[in-house]
Amino acid sequence: MNKIRTIGLILIVILMFSTNCFGKVGELQIYEENKTIPIEQALEYKNNIKNEIIIDNTKYQLTDIKEQENKKALIRDKNLIEELIVNTNDKNNVLDLFENKKQVNEEGYTGELELQVDSLDIKVNESYREEYKVYLQKTYNNVSSNELNDIPKQIQEKGITYYLVKPVWNVSEKQQIGDNEVPVTYNGIMYYEGVKVRTIIKNYKAIVSYTGKLEKETVETVTFNMQYEKMKTQNNNIVPVVTTTSGIIIFSGIILLKRKNKKKKSK
């Protein structure tokens, strides 16, 4: 009986050894590696990723590569000047001609700019000078003579020079001398004419500014995720050998037991 127990224990150990061998053959370990690379070097790095690596004397083979772009927001201030030719210099009417907001897209930057109401500037754009006549009249009463000796021929008033162009005399008082009435005093109305210059404005130039911030996303770095799989070894025949050996031992043990039993019976 002791021999039978011994043989049985040997068989159990062999079976356990055999089972462990079968379990290890099917397992594949995964190794992952992450690297974040500046965008300028990303292509070169990708082209040099190794298909096989060795870690702790174990070979791993590349099975998958994932890439993730890491973006960064760039912001810059923007000031935009806009001009319009308008026919009025009324500020409220002019402001109504401009958009309140402007969408801007330049060099990959986008954003919305707002009209700065206080920035409005209105200037004369097109104009011309025009001369026109102005008139002035002066009255002189009870003048002793209807001659122009004591009458000014030109008058300066408010920056304009007026020239006498037409004197009109009326007798204000007469005196009887003999059979005739002789004028003694006169009333005179003097008509003067001058030239004035004025500016005629054809249109105005209105200038406003829009301000705001523009933003764009740019790829700053790229994160590479490499997945490696443990390579299969070339020792695939070990398990069948061990298994076959254990089978032979089991089979031999059974035969030995049968022979022992027969000997006991014959005795």
Side-chain angles (χ1 to χ4, degrees), residues 12-50:
I12 291 169
V13 171
I14 292 171
L15 286 172
M16 289 175 64
F17 176 75
S18 173
T19 304
N20 288 338
C21 290
F22 274 113
K24 288 183 178 178
V25 169
E27 292 178 356
L28 293 174
Q29 297 180 6
I30 303 300
Y31 173 78
E32 288 190 12
E33 186 175 355
N34 291 293
K35 290 286 185 180
T36 299
I37 307 299
I39 184 62
E40 299 83 5
Q41 304 168 18
L43 182 59
E44 181 182 359
Y45 178 83
K46 183 178 180 179
N47 291 336
N48 289 295
I49 293 176
K50 295 180 180 180

Side-chain angles (χ1 to χ4, degrees), residues 8 25 45 52 70 73 75 84 92 94 109-110 142 188 212 221 248 250:
V25 169
Y45 178 83
E52 292 182 5
N70 304 311
I75 299 174
L84 281 180
N92 292 328
V94 171
Y109 286 84
T110 59
N142 301 317
T221 59
I248 292 169
I250 293 167

Side-chain angles (χ1 to χ4, degrees), residues 140-146 169-175 182-188:
Y140 299 92
N141 295 320
N142 301 317
V143 179
S144 60
S145 172
N146 61 355
W169 295 104
N170 294 308
V171 177
S172 62
E173 186 181 350
K174 295 180 181 180
Q175 185 179 0
V182 177
V184 177
T185 58
Y186 299 87
N187 292 332

Side-chain angles (χ1 to χ4, degrees), residues 139-182:
T139 301
Y140 299 92
N141 295 320
N142 301 317
V143 179
S144 60
S145 172
N146 61 355
E147 299 295 329
L148 299 176
N149 295 332
D150 297 324
I151 303 298
K153 310 301 185 293
Q154 67 182 48
I155 298 174
Q156 192 78 21
E157 192 171 292
K158 294 181 180 179
I160 300 172
T161 302
Y162 293 88
Y163 297 92
L164 180 62
V165 291
K166 183 181 178 183
V168 177
W169 295 104
N170 294 308
V171 177
S172 62
E173 186 181 350
K174 295 180 181 180
Q175 185 179 0
Q176 187 71 33
I177 300 176
D179 295 332
N180 299 314
E181 287 184 338
V182 177

Side-chain angles (χ1 to χ4, degrees), residues 101-114:
K101 298 179 185 296
K102 275 191 173 297
Q103 293 293 329
V104 176
N105 188 341
E106 63 177 24
E107 299 176 1
Y109 286 84
T110 59
E112 188 176 75
L113 308 182
E114 290 189 1

Side-chain angles (χ1 to χ4, degrees), residues 123-138:
K123 298 179 179 179
V124 174
N125 184 55
E126 287 184 295
S127 64
Y128 60 90
R129 292 169 64 84
E130 178 183 76
E131 293 184 349
Y132 62 99
K133 289 182 178 181
V134 289
Y135 303 96
L136 182 69
Q137 71 177 44
K138 294 285 185 180

Side-chain angles (χ1 to χ4, degrees), residues 60-76:
Y60 291 83
Q61 186 171 26
L62 183 67
T63 57
D64 188 27
I65 301 176
K66 292 184 177 67
E67 297 179 41
Q68 177 182 321
E69 294 182 341
N70 304 311
K71 296 182 179 180
K72 178 183 179 181
L74 299 179
I75 299 174
R76 68 183 183 187

